[in-house]
Amino acid sequence: MRSVDVADGAIAGAVGSTALNVVSYLDMALRGRPESDVPQETVDRLAGIAHVDLGNGARAANRRSGLGPLIGYGLGVAAGVGFALYAGGRRQPLPVATGLLGAGVMTMTDGSITVLGISDPRTWRRSDWISDIIPHLAYGLAAAATWNRLRRPPARGR
């Protein structure tokens, strides 16, 4: 594995994370739904586990607001790097890569909030699942397309 492949995986993961956020914000704007409090709750749980004091009042709230999205980007970049290790530096069929990346980052996200006791996906409604699946598919598609774009195209015969 070349370091450029790992870097390209990180780039693909960051692009995917951006797509996930754009789709999520678009959903909020179109349906008028509120922002999820899961990222901030995740920060609180992780800070408690790590015995990190976020401060009090507005300062703690601001830290949660800043750290929550950063954790999401971190998961997205980590999933991109994991995909790069799997792909071995090679382009991948877009539908397969989209599914692997989207399902992988969704599993990481939903698995972590389940383990932390923040949410139980078994209790989600259909609309909750749709609000979760669509942005993760956007992540997968954007990350997969970026990964393949950063790979050299196969040599063409004469």
Side-chain angles (χ1 to χ4, degrees):
M1 172 66 45
R2 301 173 319 165
S3 62
V4 70
D5 294 333
V6 172
D8 287 351
I11 292 166
V15 170
S17 294
T18 301
L20 182 147
N21 285 332
V22 167
V23 169
S24 295
Y25 290 131
L26 183 60
D27 177 42
M28 289 167 51
L30 291 175
R31 293 194 302 148
R33 73 169 177 84
E35 182 178 14
S36 173
D37 57 356
V38 169
Q40 290 80 8
E41 289 182 44
T42 301
V43 170
D44 274 340
R45 296 288 169 93
L46 293 175
I49 291 167
H51 305 290
V52 172
D53 182 11
L54 297 174
N56 296 313
R59 175 170 259 166
N62 292 338
R63 285 185 173 138
R64 282 190 294 276
S65 292
L67 291 170
L70 289 174
I71 290 171
Y73 273 101
L75 282 173
V77 169
V81 169
F83 182 79
L85 296 172
Y86 158 79
R90 293 179 302 280
R91 294 169 65 92
Q92 300 295 308
L94 190 61
V96 172
T98 297
L100 285 172
L101 282 157
V105 82
M106 186 170 158
T107 300
M108 290 169 61
T109 303
D110 295 350
S112 65
I113 64 173
T114 301
V115 167
L116 291 171
I118 296 167
S119 184
D120 183 352
R122 295 175 296 181
T123 66
W124 292 358
R125 300 173 311 224
R126 181 180 307 165
S127 63
D128 299 327
W129 278 105
I130 291 169
S131 292
D132 195 47
I133 291 169
I134 292 174
H136 285 100
L137 280 175
Y139 169 92
L141 180 60
T146 300
W147 171 259
N148 281 344
R149 179 66 180 96
L150 293 172
R151 309 275 52 84
R152 289 182 181 228
R156 294 186 182 217
R158 292 183 187 218

